[in-house]
Amino acid sequence: MYLRKKRKQVAEINVVPYIDVMLVLLIIFMATAPLITHGVKVDLPKMEQSELVDNKDVPPIIASIDAQGRYYVSVGTDPEKPMDAVEVAAIIKLKLQQNPNTPVMIKGDGKVSYQEVLLLMDFLKNAGVPSVGLMTKSFDKG
């Protein structure tokens, strides 16, 4: 009869499979993260006073939204005439076909809802505007 020595049981956790799973999940999240971002590309001014407009050779096209949600555009036959977002996008699309380097800016009233600004940005994006800037009022530090 053979006498077997009883081996002591090892109470260690093998963490190699957990590391493998973690690395696979990390790769999946890294690959899918850029695909999740969506929306309208917006160039927000990063300076106190906007030098974006002053440095351009071409004056910008300004799409405005007043407190009542009416849309206006600074180019066209009558800049003071209210219109809907589709008309604004069509006019800006025509101007950009003539000069594609023209900057496009949105000037929204502070009381207008964020949804109205996003709606106009979406119409401009669908009209082929590559980049939209948001106009802000400069404030005094003091």
Side-chain angles (χ1 to χ4, degrees), residues 46-104:
K46 294 179 177 69
M47 48 234 151
E48 288 180 25
Q49 288 189 332
S50 178
E51 298 169 7
L52 180 68
V53 177
D54 297 338
N55 292 341
K56 295 286 183 180
D57 297 332
V58 181
I61 299 172
I62 300 173
S64 303
I65 308 171
D66 66 4
Q68 288 76 31
R70 296 179 298 224
Y71 298 99
Y72 302 88
V73 67
S74 65
V75 294
T77 56
D78 189 7
E80 300 293 321
K81 177 186 166 207
M83 54 186 72
D84 62 4
V86 176
E87 291 175 315
V88 170
I91 290 172
I92 292 175
K93 183 177 182 177
L94 286 174
K95 291 295 179 181
L96 286 178
Q97 286 175 349
Q98 295 171 0
N99 189 355
N101 295 330
T102 306
V104 178

Side-chain angles (χ1 to χ4, degrees), residues 75-133:
V75 294
T77 56
D78 189 7
E80 300 293 321
K81 177 186 166 207
M83 54 186 72
D84 62 4
V86 176
E87 291 175 315
V88 170
I91 290 172
I92 292 175
K93 183 177 182 177
L94 286 174
K95 291 295 179 181
L96 286 178
Q97 286 175 349
Q98 295 171 0
N99 189 355
N101 295 330
T102 306
V104 178
M105 306 289 286
I106 293 180
K107 183 170 99 176
D109 191 280
K111 295 177 183 142
V112 73
S113 73
Y114 189 63
Q115 180 66 34
E116 293 292 327
V117 175
L118 287 179
L119 178 69
L120 181 58
M121 289 171 63
D122 190 43
F123 277 111
L124 293 176
K125 178 185 171 198
N126 291 334
V129 176
S131 172
V132 176

Side-chain angles (χ1 to χ4, degrees), residues 28-38:
I28 290 171
F29 287 133
M30 287 173 52
T32 58
L35 303 176
I36 293 173
T37 59
H38 63 281

